[in-house]
Amino acid sequence: MAFSLSRHVQTLFVELHILLVQAPLMKGDDLIDIIVLLLLFLILAAVLQFASPFSLIPDLTGPNGNYNLFTLPLPQPPGIMNLPANLYFYIDRRFTAVEVSRIKTIISNVLGQWKFHLTQKWNGGLNNGVSSWALCAQTYAFNGLKPYWHNIPVPNGQTALEIAMDEFTQLFRDNGFKLSPPTTIDYRIPFPITSSTIFGAQAFQQTKVPLSITVNPKQIDRTDLTNGALEGSLVHAWLHRAGFDHPSNVYTTYFSGEAAMCYMRGYTPKNPAVPDSSFTQLFD
């Protein structure tokens, strides 16, 4: 549909340009033709602007597509209204059934921790709680606290974590209500083979950002990596999708690194005997 609409708009634009160039020589019915063509162009442009992004893409799961669609139920935290029932993911067909199952588990567990944060913050309806995740981020995150789209300074790690989880809420709404482009889970085996785990491209806007990631199947296959470790990699990738950033390969003290490490440690304090690199080796 996207390509059909785009071709019609382009054709109308060319014809309109030709007619406008010739307009000084035209009168009567010819001028009416210009007006009608201009109205058609404006109508099609409006359709392209306001149509759902899902209607403006080729079929990802059709005979010529490379993806399979799966849905996951979105947990419903207390105090949060207007949430979709499900999230939608288009996963590369090269992943095995076992890999797909583990990826689903990883995503579901991260969604559960998002709900846990919001439940603790809701605090039985008082809405004044501080989650375990936020307390951990407050302790260790001092840099990179502000996502690119945020216009005012962010004072501390707790506030940054609350902004991040609220942005996850926004991205989940956009996904579930099909306001953002489809979320894809792409397949990539890097070299060296462990040089990437779960990658999320840097995003710069607040809304209509897909939760898309690129996953190294060889890391998903590893039995020595716990689900919690892989979930931390996903959290780091999604924080990039939420607009947070850090200098290349620098994670310590930076929010998107420390928040993901907090998750991987179960929000417990750092152990001096365990270097940050044991966690950040799974970050892209």
Side-chain angles (χ1 to χ4, degrees), residues 119-178:
T119 301
Q120 289 186 310
K121 185 181 177 184
W122 182 242
N123 194 25
L126 298 176
N127 200 25
N128 62 358
V130 181
S131 72
S132 304
W133 201 349
L135 286 173
C136 185
Q138 174 76 0
T139 302
Y140 297 107
F142 306 104
N143 297 300
L145 302 176
K146 185 173 78 70
Y148 281 109
W149 48 263
H150 203 268
N151 295 322
I152 59 176
V154 175
N156 52 53
Q158 174 186 329
T159 304
L161 195 283
E162 291 171 350
I163 290 171
M165 294 300 104
D166 288 345
E167 178 62 4
F168 278 13
T169 303
Q170 177 65 54
L171 300 185
F172 297 160
R173 285 193 179 111
D174 288 346
N175 174 292
F177 292 131
K178 300 185 178 180

Side-chain angles (χ1 to χ4, degrees), residues 197 228-229 232-233 236 251 257-258 260-266 268-271 274-284:
T197 303
S233 183
H236 179 257
Y251 305 101
E258 294 291 357
M261 285 191 277
C262 281
Y263 184 108
M264 296 161 93
R265 296 195 308 274
T268 60
K270 291 188 178 185
N271 181 345
V274 180
D276 284 355
S277 60
S278 64
F279 303 101
T280 63
Q281 64 179 321
L282 300 177
F283 297 167
D284 284 66

